[in-house]
Each structure stands twice: as structure tokens, then as C-alpha cells.
Amino acid sequence: MNTTKIAIVLFVLLLQTQFGYAQNQIPYLKKSGAKTHLVVDGKPFIVLGGELGNSSFTSTAYMKPHWETLKAMNLNTILAPVYWELIEPQEGQFDFKLFDELLAETRENDMKLVIFWFGSWKNSMSSHVPSWVKQNQDKYPRAIDERGVSQEILTPFSENNLQADLNAFKALMKHIKQVDSEQQTVIMVQPENEIGMLPSARDYHPLANQLFNSQVPTELTDYLQNNKENLVPEFLSIWRKNGYKTEGSWEEVFGPGYATDELFMAWYFAKFTEEITRAGKEIYPLPMYVNAALIRPGKIPGEYPSAGPLPHLMDIWKAGAPSVDMLSPDFYTPDFEYWNDLYVRQNNPLFIPEHRFDNTVGAKALFAIGHYEAIGFSPFAIESGLNMELANAYNLIRQLHPLITEKFGRNKLEGVLLDKDKILSTVVLGDYEFSFKNSYTLGWEAGATNDVWDSGGAIIIQTDTNEFYIAGSGVVVTFKNWKKRNKIVGILKCEEGSFENGKWKVLRHLNGDQTHQGRHVRISHGDYSIQRIQLYEYE
Ligand code: DGJ
């Protein structure tokens, strides 16, 4: 190598170290301040995802007609299951033909793949375990409910159950490493799916009963003591009530009741998942997350899938499963912001692997990326139809991808989500305070009289002291300068446009009715657009 070449290589290496991204590494999570981002192909990556229906990834024929719809919705990633029953139909004999075919099609369609392991548990149940597991209950024991009834749920307390799952998951990760470490289409893995105990708060298998009456493991009590200042309040209050005990059985330390039953199960579910995750990462260390079915109002442990990676059990899951990178919420209930706020505590990176595929998903994708700097967003049963709200929102995020990721972790990025209950959201960026309202508040859009309002959502990005991009739908925005409170803020310039190959291209100069003669920025419901604004002050 001549000196010029050596200088170039050194310069590239320096740049990579400087910006912290390594090109040849498999996908990984990178911390920037309190936030964490996903890096794929050496660059920050936002998962614009969609999760397939449960049985859709079982044949190429079934998937064939759906790829075009997925592309039309501007997805860059699909989330899809790998089924234990299909990859290990006979004990110890693995068959990855279907997986390889679907991987090839994912590549042909220019998408990345997040896989979830339908292993021991899928929505609490063990329906996806192979028949040789299902039919050998002596070797692979089941959970038993409070009334003594056996469930189609493998007990997490059996070593045989763990070893069988481990063996299959390790084979899967070995295979992915072998077929994909060059091309890196698979970018993340979810071990198991919506783990949770039903229909009682804990398992009453003799192996479970024995541990329930034994000492709480010191591994857990040490963690609790060492992290006492940071424990989530819902958990801390249970521990406090019983005097912060560190020795004794589960009921002695945490008091008797369903809440303790759930803590106990959460610990052993987390320990089982830790074994799976750690073993998988030892083979091929992709980022790994676990997902939770959120609690429906008014339900107590045992009535909802209990002991999964839920916000009030965060500490137990973090203590028991340190190899898991993220705890993730699945949304089939309202209160999107409320639950996400609970999930981002303790710097847990936010990834939303499932959301009901309704007409709020476009606004929520924008909000999740702008406000939480989420790893990604993904409605469920994505192949079930063409959702233009999602297609349009993902289109905006795709255009803004370089700009958004450049601003990650730097307080230059925000997001809003508005509906009829929350008509106003205030955002401060630099010297300016922005009031975002649902554009129906203006009263003149067709849907303004509806009982339920469409969601408005937007991302706002600061690119200079008084320059901002606003992208979204159903919002009207006014401004103040909090540093110059006696001045009035006006619009110097407002352009509507798009990014083409990273370059801003103006489509229209907006003024007149489009900005209410300089009073506000507006993107009506039904429209999805990007506007670049420059603000100024007058007296
Ligand atoms: C949540 C599960 O994780 C998905 O696999 C799917 O079953 C949906 N619920 C169905 O609503």
C-alpha cells in the first residue's frame, strides 16, 4: 500500500471512530446520551415496520401477493415469526428451507427482517411447540393453575423445557449467522412472544411450589438493594410495604397476594428468557427485545397475561434478564403516550413491535419517532390491507431519515400526537415554543364535527436558530419566542416540499390562506406534508 492509500484508510477509520459507527459490524444498539439508537449497515436506522399476521410467514405462496402492499406502505422492515414446530418437526432435526426462501424474498423486496421466536410461549400459550414436545408431557411438563388444572403452557420451571427451547433457538441463531452475517437482512430478534401466565397469577406445578416457598434468590435481592434509588414506584411500594426485606420466601419478602405471585412468575420467566437470549447472542449478537401484552383496565394478575415484561415488573425483568436489550409494549388498548412514558423509564429504549392496525398508526409513528426517538414502530397484521395513513407517514419519515438520525440525542427533534382529548401539545426547541393543535380545532375541516377526531401527528426538527421542518398531518402550529417575550413571532418564509436524494426541493411557497395570512403553519387532516419554516420577531 502506498502512503496515500494508507492515509485514506487511516482517515476512514478515524471518521468511523469519530462518529462511533462501524461499517462492518452486525446491527447493534448505540447509546447517545439518554437515548439509544439502532445501527444497521453502519448507519443509524429507524424501523418503519409492520408485523405480519401470525400464520402468514408459513409459505412463500401466501406471502407472494402481499409484498407489493407492504412496499406501497413504505415499510423498510417486516417483523415475522419463526415457528419452532416448523423448524424442528422431529427432535434434533432442523429444517430451515422455508426460512431461507422467505429471507430471500425479503431481500428481493428490499426489506430488513425482525424475527420473533414462536418458541415456548406465544401469547402465554405454548401452541407453537413441536408435536414431540406437546405429546410428551412427562418430559416437557405444563403449568398448572390455582385449581390444579393443567394448561397448554410449558412450565418455565422445568430444565427439560428450557433445554429443548435453547437447543432450537441456538440452532436458529447459528443458521442466521451462517446465511445472513454478510448481508445482514435480519436486524433484531424477539425471543418468545407476549410471555404471561394465565389463567392464574402463578404456576402451581410442584417445581414452582417448591421455589415459591424457598428463599427469594440473592441475585434478585442484591439487585434490588443496589438499585433501590431507581426502582419503579409501583414495584417499590410493594417492597416498602413489607419493610424492604431481603431474606425469606417470596411471601415473606413481598407479602402474600396475587401481586407477589406475579413477581415470582416474572422472575422465573425472566430467568428462562435470559438463558435463551444469552445463548442466542453468544452465537450471533443481534439486538434482542421482549414484548408484553398491556393490561386492560380493571384486571388483576391472573386475569391478564401476568408476569410479562410489563412496566410495573421492569425491575424484575431487568434483574433477571440483563441480556435483553429492550422491554417493548404491544398496543391494542388506548393511552399510547401513558404506556410509552412508563416504558422509557430507566433509559429503556422504546421499540413498538405491535399496534392495532387502525387509522391512528400514521400519527403515532410520527409521534413515537419524533418524541421518543423510538427504535421503530410496527402495526400488527400489516398485510391485511393498504393503510394510507401509515404509507404517508412512513413516506415522510423516509424522506427525513437522514435529518432525523443526524439530530438524534441532540434536543433538536420533537413529536406530537393530538386527538379530541388532547387538542394541544407544546414543544420547546431552541428559543421557540410551538403550540400544536389538532387542525379540527379550527372548525372548518370536514371531520371537525365528528364525535371521534382523527389523530393529528407531527415531527418537528430544528435545523438553525430560527429554521424548522414540520412534517405530519392534522396539525396547526403557532409560535412564541420564550427568550423575547415582548416580541411577536411571525413567519418569514414557509415552503412546502420534499427531500429528493437528501436535497430539499420546494413544491410551493405557502402564504395567504395556507398560513392564515402569516398567522400559523397548517397541515390539514388527509394531507401529509413537510414544510420548512423560518421565523422572525417583530414588535
Ligand atoms: C398480540 C400478539 O403478540 C400477536 O401475535 C397477535 O396474536 C395479536 N396479539 C392479535 O391481536
Side-chain angles (χ1 to χ4, degrees), residues 51-52 54 116 118 122-123 190 193-194 291 293 330 332 354 356 380:
E51 179 165 321
L52 296 176
N54 294 161
F116 40 100
F118 277 0
K122 191 273 165 194
N123 297 38
Q190 175 196 292
N193 186 77
E194 288 195 354
N291 64 338
D330 289 349
Y332 296 88
E354 292 184 45
R356 190 192 301 282
F380 176 74

mmCIF file of all heavy atoms in Angstrom, residues 51-52 54 116 118 122-123 190 193-194 291 293 330 332 354 356 380, ligand 1:
data_model
loop_
_atom_site.group_PDB
_atom_site.id
_atom_site.type_symbol
_atom_site.label_atom_id
_atom_site.label_comp_id
_atom_site.label_asym_id
_atom_site.label_seq_id
_atom_site.Cartn_x
_atom_site.Cartn_y
_atom_site.Cartn_z
ATOM 1 N N GLU A 51 -45.825 -5.766 11.401
ATOM 2 C CA GLU A 51 -45.726 -7.171 11.811
ATOM 3 C C GLU A 51 -46.768 -8.002 11.067
ATOM 4 O O GLU A 51 -47.939 -7.637 11.000
ATOM 5 C CB GLU A 51 -45.924 -7.293 13.327
ATOM 6 C CG GLU A 51 -45.859 -8.736 13.776
ATOM 7 C CD GLU A 51 -45.690 -8.904 15.277
ATOM 8 O OE1 GLU A 51 -44.948 -8.121 15.892
ATOM 9 O OE2 GLU A 51 -46.297 -9.838 15.828
ATOM 10 N N LEU A 52 -46.313 -9.113 10.537
ATOM 11 C CA LEU A 52 -47.213 -9.995 9.791
ATOM 12 C C LEU A 52 -48.174 -10.711 10.736
ATOM 13 O O LEU A 52 -47.839 -10.945 11.909
ATOM 14 C CB LEU A 52 -46.408 -11.046 9.042
ATOM 15 C CG LEU A 52 -45.464 -10.537 7.954
ATOM 16 C CD1 LEU A 52 -44.672 -11.707 7.376
ATOM 17 C CD2 LEU A 52 -46.238 -9.838 6.842
ATOM 18 N N ASN A 54 -50.001 -13.875 12.371
ATOM 19 C CA ASN A 54 -49.269 -14.986 12.974
ATOM 20 C C ASN A 54 -48.915 -16.136 12.029
ATOM 21 O O ASN A 54 -47.897 -16.781 12.185
ATOM 22 C CB ASN A 54 -50.063 -15.563 14.143
ATOM 23 C CG ASN A 54 -50.201 -14.604 15.301
ATOM 24 O OD1 ASN A 54 -51.071 -14.773 16.130
ATOM 25 N ND2 ASN A 54 -49.348 -13.594 15.384
ATOM 26 N N PHE A 116 -39.343 -12.877 15.248
ATOM 27 C CA PHE A 116 -39.713 -13.235 16.614
ATOM 28 C C PHE A 116 -39.874 -14.743 16.703
ATOM 29 O O PHE A 116 -40.382 -15.396 15.790
ATOM 30 C CB PHE A 116 -40.914 -12.461 17.152
ATOM 31 C CG PHE A 116 -42.026 -12.221 16.197
ATOM 32 C CD1 PHE A 116 -43.146 -13.025 16.227
ATOM 33 C CD2 PHE A 116 -41.980 -11.166 15.303
ATOM 34 C CE1 PHE A 116 -44.198 -12.795 15.363
ATOM 35 C CE2 PHE A 116 -43.025 -10.932 14.432
ATOM 36 C CZ PHE A 116 -44.130 -11.752 14.459
ATOM 37 N N PHE A 118 -41.373 -17.839 17.897
ATOM 38 C CA PHE A 118 -42.538 -18.517 18.460
ATOM 39 C C PHE A 118 -42.021 -19.839 19.032
ATOM 40 O O PHE A 118 -42.112 -20.894 18.404
ATOM 41 C CB PHE A 118 -43.593 -18.757 17.379
ATOM 42 C CG PHE A 118 -44.490 -17.570 17.104
ATOM 43 C CD1 PHE A 118 -44.338 -16.371 17.785
ATOM 44 C CD2 PHE A 118 -45.519 -17.670 16.168
ATOM 45 C CE1 PHE A 118 -45.180 -15.283 17.537
ATOM 46 C CE2 PHE A 118 -46.366 -16.590 15.916
ATOM 47 C CZ PHE A 118 -46.195 -15.399 16.600
ATOM 48 N N LYS A 122 -46.235 -18.175 23.095
ATOM 49 C CA LYS A 122 -46.813 -17.221 22.150
ATOM 50 C C LYS A 122 -48.139 -16.791 22.754
ATOM 51 O O LYS A 122 -49.046 -17.625 22.887
ATOM 52 C CB LYS A 122 -47.002 -17.914 20.796
ATOM 53 C CG LYS A 122 -47.334 -16.994 19.665
ATOM 54 C CD LYS A 122 -48.809 -16.750 19.550
ATOM 55 C CE LYS A 122 -49.068 -15.553 18.668
ATOM 56 N NZ LYS A 122 -50.426 -15.069 18.774
ATOM 57 N N ASN A 123 -48.237 -15.509 23.162
ATOM 58 C CA ASN A 123 -49.417 -15.015 23.893
ATOM 59 C C ASN A 123 -49.752 -15.966 25.042
ATOM 60 O O ASN A 123 -50.840 -16.556 25.073
ATOM 61 C CB ASN A 123 -50.651 -14.902 22.999
ATOM 62 C CG ASN A 123 -50.484 -13.923 21.886
ATOM 63 O OD1 ASN A 123 -49.398 -13.818 21.306
ATOM 64 N ND2 ASN A 123 -51.515 -13.206 21.561
ATOM 65 N N GLN A 190 -36.714 -11.112 18.567
ATOM 66 C CA GLN A 190 -37.561 -11.105 19.762
ATOM 67 C C GLN A 190 -37.696 -12.538 20.258
ATOM 68 O O GLN A 190 -38.383 -13.352 19.634
ATOM 69 C CB GLN A 190 -38.942 -10.550 19.399
ATOM 70 C CG GLN A 190 -39.943 -10.598 20.539
ATOM 71 C CD GLN A 190 -41.354 -10.417 20.034
ATOM 72 O OE1 GLN A 190 -41.718 -9.340 19.572
ATOM 73 N NE2 GLN A 190 -42.166 -11.463 20.108
ATOM 74 N N ASN A 193 -42.903 -14.668 22.589
ATOM 75 C CA ASN A 193 -43.875 -13.634 22.236
ATOM 76 C C ASN A 193 -44.929 -13.476 23.328
ATOM 77 O O ASN A 193 -45.598 -14.439 23.703
ATOM 78 C CB ASN A 193 -44.575 -13.996 20.920
ATOM 79 C CG ASN A 193 -45.484 -12.882 20.440
ATOM 80 O OD1 ASN A 193 -45.020 -11.886 19.894
ATOM 81 N ND2 ASN A 193 -46.771 -13.040 20.661
ATOM 82 N N GLU A 194 -45.025 -12.241 23.821
ATOM 83 C CA GLU A 194 -46.015 -11.913 24.865
ATOM 84 C C GLU A 194 -46.092 -12.998 25.937
ATOM 85 O O GLU A 194 -47.148 -13.613 26.171
ATOM 86 C CB GLU A 194 -47.392 -11.641 24.261
ATOM 87 C CG GLU A 194 -47.453 -10.324 23.521
ATOM 88 C CD GLU A 194 -48.867 -9.838 23.226
ATOM 89 O OE1 GLU A 194 -49.827 -10.581 23.494
ATOM 90 O OE2 GLU A 194 -48.996 -8.716 22.720
ATOM 91 N N ASN A 291 -41.546 -8.595 24.244
ATOM 92 C CA ASN A 291 -42.759 -7.770 24.147
ATOM 93 C C ASN A 291 -43.802 -8.186 25.182
ATOM 94 O O ASN A 291 -43.787 -9.309 25.681
ATOM 95 C CB ASN A 291 -43.347 -7.840 22.728
ATOM 96 C CG ASN A 291 -43.810 -9.237 22.353
ATOM 97 O OD1 ASN A 291 -43.364 -10.223 22.921
ATOM 98 N ND2 ASN A 291 -44.707 -9.321 21.395
ATOM 99 N N ALA A 293 -48.069 -7.963 26.443
ATOM 100 C CA ALA A 293 -49.482 -7.622 26.261
ATOM 101 C C ALA A 293 -49.830 -6.657 27.388
ATOM 102 O O ALA A 293 -49.675 -7.000 28.562
ATOM 103 C CB ALA A 293 -50.327 -8.882 26.369
ATOM 104 N N ASP A 330 -46.941 -3.815 23.342
ATOM 105 C CA ASP A 330 -47.817 -4.091 22.200
ATOM 106 C C ASP A 330 -49.128 -3.368 22.460
ATOM 107 O O ASP A 330 -49.738 -3.563 23.517
ATOM 108 C CB ASP A 330 -48.106 -5.592 22.089
ATOM 109 C CG ASP A 330 -46.891 -6.387 21.633
ATOM 110 O OD1 ASP A 330 -45.896 -5.775 21.202
ATOM 111 O OD2 ASP A 330 -46.951 -7.622 21.703
ATOM 112 N N TYR A 332 -52.960 -2.662 21.947
ATOM 113 C CA TYR A 332 -54.318 -2.948 21.487
ATOM 114 C C TYR A 332 -55.294 -2.222 22.398
ATOM 115 O O TYR A 332 -56.484 -2.511 22.414
ATOM 116 C CB TYR A 332 -54.591 -4.464 21.489
ATOM 117 C CG TYR A 332 -53.675 -5.162 20.503
ATOM 118 C CD1 TYR A 332 -52.410 -5.595 20.894
ATOM 119 C CD2 TYR A 332 -54.040 -5.306 19.175
ATOM 120 C CE1 TYR A 332 -51.543 -6.174 19.991
ATOM 121 C CE2 TYR A 332 -53.178 -5.893 18.258
ATOM 122 C CZ TYR A 332 -51.938 -6.318 18.676
ATOM 123 O OH TYR A 332 -51.081 -6.881 17.772
ATOM 124 N N GLU A 354 -45.811 -3.925 18.050
ATOM 125 C CA GLU A 354 -47.191 -4.174 17.612
ATOM 126 C C GLU A 354 -48.077 -3.001 17.991
ATOM 127 O O GLU A 354 -47.988 -2.475 19.112
ATOM 128 C CB GLU A 354 -47.761 -5.431 18.288
ATOM 129 C CG GLU A 354 -47.116 -6.708 17.846
ATOM 130 C CD GLU A 354 -47.787 -7.927 18.465
ATOM 131 O OE1 GLU A 354 -49.024 -7.998 18.494
ATOM 132 O OE2 GLU A 354 -47.049 -8.811 18.929
ATOM 133 N N ARG A 356 -52.356 -2.000 17.034
ATOM 134 C CA ARG A 356 -53.555 -2.327 16.242
ATOM 135 C C ARG A 356 -53.505 -1.540 14.931
ATOM 136 O O ARG A 356 -53.162 -0.356 14.920
ATOM 137 C CB ARG A 356 -54.817 -1.947 17.027
ATOM 138 C CG ARG A 356 -56.094 -2.454 16.394
ATOM 139 C CD ARG A 356 -57.313 -1.800 17.040
ATOM 140 N NE ARG A 356 -57.403 -2.054 18.475
ATOM 141 C CZ ARG A 356 -57.834 -3.191 19.022
ATOM 142 N NH1 ARG A 356 -58.209 -4.186 18.252
ATOM 143 N NH2 ARG A 356 -57.894 -3.331 20.330
ATOM 144 N N PHE A 380 -49.684 -4.254 13.596
ATOM 145 C CA PHE A 380 -49.839 -5.708 13.506
ATOM 146 C C PHE A 380 -50.807 -6.108 12.379
ATOM 147 O O PHE A 380 -51.773 -5.421 12.108
ATOM 148 C CB PHE A 380 -50.350 -6.259 14.846
ATOM 149 C CG PHE A 380 -50.628 -7.728 14.796
ATOM 150 C CD1 PHE A 380 -49.585 -8.643 14.773
ATOM 151 C CD2 PHE A 380 -51.930 -8.202 14.731
ATOM 152 C CE1 PHE A 380 -49.829 -10.009 14.703
ATOM 153 C CE2 PHE A 380 -52.189 -9.558 14.662
ATOM 154 C CZ PHE A 380 -51.134 -10.462 14.647
HETATM 155 C C1 DGJ B 1 -50.633 -9.862 20.211
HETATM 156 C C2 DGJ B 1 -49.737 -10.959 19.754
HETATM 157 O O1 DGJ B 1 -48.405 -10.715 20.116
HETATM 158 C C3 DGJ B 1 -49.827 -11.189 18.275
HETATM 159 O O2 DGJ B 1 -49.070 -12.293 17.941
HETATM 160 C C4 DGJ B 1 -51.272 -11.370 17.890
HETATM 161 O O3 DGJ B 1 -51.781 -12.537 18.427
HETATM 162 C C5 DGJ B 1 -52.092 -10.207 18.298
HETATM 163 N N1 DGJ B 1 -51.980 -10.005 19.716
HETATM 164 C C6 DGJ B 1 -53.529 -10.399 17.882
HETATM 165 O O4 DGJ B 1 -54.336 -9.350 18.207
#
